[in-house]
Amino acid sequence: MKDQKKILAAMKENFEDCYGKAETRAYWSGGRINLIGEHIDYSAGHVFPCAITLGTFALVADRKDNKTRIFSMNMADKGIIEFPMSGNKYDRAKDWANYPIGVVDVMEKAGYKAPHGFDIILFGTLPNGAGLSSSASIEVLTAVILNDTFNWNINMVEMVKMSQKAENEFVGVNCGIMDQFAVGMGKKSCAILLDCNTLEYKYAKIAMEGYSIVITNTNKKHTLSSSAYNQRRKQCENALKQLQTVKPDLKALCALTKAEFDEISNVIEDPLERMRAKHAVYENERTLEAVKALEANDLEKFGKLLNDSHISLRDDYDVTGEELDALAELAWKQEGCLGSRMTGAGFGGCTISIVRDDAIEQFKKDVLEGYKKRIGYEPSFYVANIADGTHRFKV
């Protein structure tokens, strides 16, 4: 609470420096971690993410004209970025602001035209390039600001879909829906079991008595759009097409069980594409098993499934890299750690580990030393709390 007050005071000062005095409203939008179910949202699989207490604050004031000015305290060197509230196109010069601009554009095309613009200050507590979905945090935040201001009464699932569409079609990153869904629909102390095919979901209470989720950041620079994300997605699409030659009614990789996949996987000619598909099918089953394990309070089994997920992402999906592997492998050796895996797109970013509370400080010390020795620089650690989704709040 103290931190929030300090952050908002600094934001208010920045707001007045940038735009002058005005009446402002405050909004919050978390980042996300995915506990398990990685790289399968676009294969219609089940994922198990949650919103976290690291994310994006916004202070917003209404303008009388059609212009929006937006400034991020985290990227002060980019200055104040201006854009109109209609008729936008992707503009590389507008850098990170293409995420909120994309949401404005998608909402306008869906018939929600903003009557006026805003002056906005953002401050993010998510570490840069950590792969904890700062883009989704900003997208859903923008949708909520617009919806709240203009009383459009759009439900959160629709805003989540619009935010994903902005990233897919405006920014050009072919992401699945998981990130925006977790950010928008998050619920304190719960993770969300989401069927990415139907968007059916249920909340599962995360009761980890005596254990916490430790996020460890590789501190390797990571950009989703420049990663091999789109290539992996294409490989999965190719594998699906080949499987459909023997199973024409198959709509998605994750509609298969492991046994069904093993029986027909030999029709996938390219061994790499076969491995990518195997990860999708096996990870989907792992996710369902992991939720059952948590519900049965079997944290040991849950931890083992996290490890298995990382191994599959390393060996079959090839999205981990030296830094994430170092963090996971070091974590597996630590006393009090039940399991550890990469979370997010991979190629940098973060791992999540389930660590006994009284072992966290030693865990950090040993992993830091081992990682520095192996990689050459230090990782960063955050003990995560699970948060509510994007919302306006009273200051």
Side-chain angles (χ1 to χ4, degrees):
M1 248 352 219
K2 276 184 195 164
D3 278 354
Q4 183 173 301
K5 279 182 182 166
K6 268 166 59 179
I7 287 167
L8 288 168
M11 288 178 75
K12 191 81 178 160
E13 200 177 299
N14 261 265
F15 190 98
E16 290 176 7
D17 287 347
C18 287
Y19 310 125
K21 290 198 175 194
E23 194 178 313
T24 59
R25 304 182 297 284
Y27 297 83
W28 162 258
S29 188
R32 70 92 192 94
I33 54 172
N34 186 25
L35 294 172
I36 193 165
E38 209 68 77
H39 275 285
I40 59 171
D41 53 341
Y42 48 83
S43 292
H46 289 82
V47 294
F48 196 47
C50 51
I52 56 173
T53 49
L54 300 168
T56 315
F57 290 93
L59 280 186
V60 180
D62 296 332
R63 292 177 60 86
K64 291 194 166 74
D65 59 13
N66 187 44
K67 180 166 73 176
T68 284
R69 299 184 294 182
I70 194 164
F71 176 78
S72 167
M73 289 166 64
N74 305 83
M75 288 172 273
D77 58 314
K78 305 290 181 190
I80 297 168
I81 298 171
E82 293 187 6
F83 59 91
M85 291 301 282
S86 62
N88 283 291
K89 285 189 166 55
Y90 182 87
D91 180 355
R92 186 186 284 266
K94 290 193 167 39
D95 200 77
W96 66 271
N98 281 294
Y99 292 105
I101 295 168
V103 173
V104 169
D105 183 65
V106 164
M107 293 182 101
E108 182 190 10
K109 285 172 178 163
Y112 299 100
K113 186 168 171 17
H116 63 73
F118 305 93
D119 285 335
I120 303 174
I121 290 276
L122 299 182
F123 178 76
T125 57
L126 286 162
N128 264 349
L132 299 176
S133 282
S134 54
S135 59
S137 181
I138 291 168
E139 287 155 1
V140 181
L141 178 66
T142 307
V144 167
I145 290 167
L146 290 164
N147 190 47
D148 176 62
T149 304
F150 303 123
N151 297 311
W152 285 335
N153 296 315
I154 309 169
N155 69 48
M156 185 59 87
V157 173
E158 283 309 307
M159 288 192 278
V160 160
K161 288 179 184 173
M162 288 174 176
S163 298
Q164 182 206 10
K165 194 172 185 183
E167 188 146 347
N168 288 172
E169 296 180 10
F170 193 89
V171 180
V173 177
N174 205 7
C175 67
I177 197 151
M178 176 187 70
D179 293 353
Q180 291 83 2
F181 201 96
V183 164
M185 296 294 287
K187 192 172 172 183
K188 194 176 177 182
S189 304
C190 292
I192 309 165
L193 178 65
L194 170 66
D195 181 334
C196 294
N197 184 34
T198 62
L199 291 196
E200 286 175 12
Y201 65 95
K202 71 169 184 175
Y203 290 104
K205 193 90 176 151
I206 304 295
M208 295 197 295
E209 196 80 19
Y211 285 83
S212 294
I213 299 165
V214 179
I215 301 171
T216 311
N217 187 358
T218 59
N219 288 328
K220 179 189 179 185
K221 286 273 185 243
H222 136 106
T223 315
L224 182 55
S225 52
S226 66
S227 76
Y229 177 94
N230 289 341
Q231 183 197 20
R232 294 297 181 282
R233 189 162 180 161
K234 187 74 185 150
Q235 288 167 330
C236 285
E237 287 164 5
N238 292 344
L240 176 62
K241 281 178 193 158
Q242 290 172 77
L243 291 170
Q244 286 166 335
T245 62
V246 292
K247 204 171 171 61
D249 59 341
L250 183 66
K251 297 284 192 290
L253 288 175
C254 291
L256 292 169
T257 64
K258 290 194 288 193
E260 286 168 339
F261 175 76
D262 290 345
E263 200 178 308
I264 59 173
S265 63
N266 61 334
V267 303
I268 305 169
E269 289 171 12
D270 184 331
L272 269 185
E273 289 176 356
R274 196 180 313 125
M275 286 159 70
R276 308 303 187 234
K278 180 188 173 190
H279 165 75
V281 174
Y282 277 53
E283 181 79 349
N284 188 50
E285 287 210 4
R286 256 192 300 275
T287 303
L288 296 173
E289 278 181 57
V291 176
K292 280 183 193 160
L294 264 190
E295 287 172 343
N297 210 21
D298 189 346
L299 284 183
E300 285 202 14
K301 185 175 182 187
F302 182 72
K304 185 185 180 307
L305 288 162
L306 296 194
N307 296 347
D308 291 345
S309 172
H310 185 91
I311 290 162
S312 179
L313 287 156
R314 181 190 70 193
D315 298 347
D316 288 333
Y317 221 67
D318 190 21
V319 290
T320 56
E322 190 185 0
E323 295 83 3
L324 286 167
D325 288 340
L327 286 181
E329 287 159 20
L330 287 160
W332 295 340
K333 293 174 186 167
Q334 302 309 311
E335 152 99 67
C337 177
L338 294 181
S340 185
R341 63 179 285 275
M342 62 155 268
T343 187
F347 309 106
C350 296
T351 58
I352 51 164
S353 307
I354 311 298
V355 185
R356 201 176 64 235
D357 290 338
D358 64 9
I360 288 175
E361 289 314 308
Q362 192 63 44
F363 173 90
K364 288 181 186 175
K365 183 174 176 289
D366 292 347
V367 171
L368 185 145
E369 283 174 8
Y371 184 81
K372 191 174 179 186
K373 195 172 173 183
R374 188 161 152 185
I375 303 299
Y377 51 87
E378 294 183 358
S380 305
F381 299 89
Y382 311 87
V383 179
N385 291 307
I386 296 172
D388 286 323
T390 309
H391 60 278
R392 180 177 170 180
F393 65 94
K394 285 184 180 168
V395 180

